[in-house]
Amino acid sequence: MKLSASFAALLALVPIAAAQQSVWGQCGGIGWTGPTTCASGSTCTVSNPYYSQCLPSTGGSSTGGGGSPTSTSSAPGSTSTAKLNSVAKAAGKLYLGSATDNPELTDQPYVAILSDNEQFGQITPGNSMKWDATEPEQGVFTFTQGDVIADLAKTNGQLLRGHNCVWYNQLPSWVSSGNFNVSELTSIVENHCNAWDVINEAFNDDGTWRSDVFYDTLGEAFVPAALNAARTADPSTKLYINDYNIEGPGAKATALTNLVQSLQSSNVPIDGIGVQGHLIVGSIPDMKTQLAAFASLGVEVAITELDIRMTLPSTDALLQQQKTNYQTVIEACQSVAGCIGITVWDYTDKYSWVPSTFSGQGAACPWDENLVQKPAFDGIVAGLS
Ligand code: 9MR
């Protein structure tokens, strides 16, 4: 399995101690001390004994909470009859995949598209392999929900990206507030990553190290500790560092480059860089340059969480611009041999994380809320052709 990462903006935008949890946020579970009621339009739903999540209420708008307008455009949609993974493989990529999440798996039409391995050759669990889901109490590992996704991938003949091992978010309080000393926390990271394999979002946007329980206690040493433990656990697993806002050249991409070079010179296992790709219609960074620069380090590169959001409501012009932007991103990966695959952060606007986090924005995925392909789908196909 491979590692992926996360999004710092969430910390700023999701009120951690709010009386009501926002849509998609955690609202319950063993050990949870945060809000247990959900914002209007969403319902606290049990994922497992350790994790309940505010999910949009069924029957209404899929955006919930903020009441953001959804796409009402009747613009010409996708005309392509191609299948994305088939096109990606024909273009020399390892896969084109999608994120998914356990609560969505009761939606049969959704699962039918997700499970078509000509459409998606890889899946990433959106939540159920994160620390709060897999080790909610110290030493108590629960893989039930994660295994559901792993089993689905296996049944479908799809690759799986493990998401994720070490991340500041969705971290149970026994880790974040345990006041562990260096040797205790090192051992906790090693133990957790014994079954996983990831470093997630180590840097702030200016390239400085992110302050969290791992860096504040262990300094940079948490990175080799997690990577070495993961390699020991599974020598054949590809080990990734994953982050956002590294899609184009800048301080954060430079910091990650320096980290990878430093790991390589110390013989710490590092196989890949995950570039998340949470982008905005009309402002796509120079990914071609940056993906090539990462690949030149001698590691794999993958676009791990692609979506391209817009200010709602969507219009014909925005959907066409989004199509062009998807094509540009895919072409960037296509132009770099070391860019091995692309994962969209769920394929449909029906289950996108965007509207609940960025008020008034959405329509970021290549399928719309009714599971109908959008022009963006054709942009992906064109980028691989
Ligand atoms: O898609 C995930 C959403 O369901 C969760 O509520 C959210 C909260 O942590 O995390 C989302 O996934 C994030 C991923 O794990 C890391 N990169 C950013 C993704 C979007 O926030």
Side-chain angles (χ1 to χ4, degrees), residues 5-7 10 24 127 130 163 167 170 276 305 345 353:
S6 176
F7 210 66
L10 281 172
W24 303 115
N127 285 299
K130 291 172 178 172
H163 179 87
W167 185 28
Q170 289 178 267
Q276 290 187 9
E305 303 183 19
W345 201 243
W353 69 291

Side-chain angles (χ1 to χ4, degrees), residues 49-345:
Y50 302 97
Y51 193 73
S52 297
Q53 187 178 24
C54 292
L55 299 178
S57 304
T58 51
S61 159
S62 71
T63 50
S68 310
T70 57
S71 169
T72 55
S73 172
S74 58
S78 161
T79 56
S80 174
T81 54
K83 298 283 187 86
L84 297 183
N85 188 49
S86 298
V87 177
K89 287 173 82 167
K93 299 300 158 189
L94 189 58
Y95 60 83
L96 192 139
S98 175
T100 188
D101 205 357
N102 296 68
E104 303 162 17
L105 300 180
T106 56
D107 180 342
Q108 294 307 324
Y110 167 85
V111 173
I113 295 173
L114 180 75
S115 298
D116 178 355
N117 63 19
E118 293 184 1
Q119 201 72 272
F120 300 111
Q122 173 273 334
I123 53 179
T124 306
N127 285 299
S128 54
M129 291 189 187
K130 291 172 178 172
W131 199 315
D132 57 1
T134 58
E135 196 185 0
E137 293 175 60
Q138 187 166 9
V140 178
F141 288 90
T142 56
F143 296 108
T144 315
Q145 295 296 307
D147 283 349
V148 169
I149 308 276
D151 290 346
L152 182 67
K154 194 172 177 186
T155 301
N156 294 341
Q158 295 163 318
L159 299 169
L160 181 70
R161 178 175 285 271
H163 179 87
N164 48 46
C165 174
V166 176
W167 185 28
Y168 70 91
N169 203 0
Q170 289 178 267
L171 196 57
S173 56
W174 74 260
V175 183
S176 52
S177 309
N179 292 316
F180 298 111
N181 65 28
V182 169
S183 71
E184 288 166 342
L185 190 59
T186 301
S187 149
I188 285 166
V189 167
E190 288 172 348
N191 195 41
H192 186 71
C193 294
N194 191 35
W196 297 89
D197 60 358
V198 169
I199 291 294
N200 202 24
E201 290 185 2
F203 296 111
N204 299 309
D205 284 350
D206 65 2
T208 57
W209 285 88
R210 178 188 298 281
S211 170
D212 63 11
V213 66
F214 303 110
Y215 182 73
D216 295 348
T217 309
L218 306 176
E220 301 173 22
F222 79 91
V223 176
L227 289 167
N228 280 319
R231 175 51 44 89
T232 302
D234 186 351
S236 64
T237 294
K238 300 282 189 179
L239 308 182
Y240 271 61
I241 297 180
N242 192 39
D243 219 321
Y244 64 93
N245 284 353
I246 55 166
E247 289 78 11
K252 197 170 185 179
T254 300
L256 190 51
T257 300
N258 292 339
L259 173 61
V260 168
Q261 287 176 324
S262 154
L263 294 168
Q264 288 171 325
S265 64
S266 309
N267 290 320
V268 175
I270 174 68
D271 300 309
I273 295 175
V275 176
Q276 290 187 9
H278 293 295
L279 301 173
I280 300 170
V281 166
S283 50
I284 305 299
D286 181 3
M287 290 184 72
K288 201 169 177 173
T289 298
Q290 192 55 51
L291 295 180
F294 284 147
S296 74
L297 297 171
V299 292
E300 288 184 358
V301 179
I303 299 176
T304 52
E305 303 183 19
L306 179 61
D307 50 26
I308 309 181
R309 62 186 183 268
M310 63 180 70
T311 299
L312 298 171
S314 64
T315 62
D316 294 4
L318 282 167
L319 290 170
Q320 289 304 317
Q321 172 82 63
Q322 184 183 50
K323 172 186 176 180
T324 304
N325 291 160
Y326 263 98
Q327 181 172 344
T328 300
V329 170
I330 302 298
E331 282 171 350
C333 180
Q334 188 53 21
S335 71
V336 176
C339 183
I340 55 114
I342 300 135
T343 305
V344 291
W345 201 243

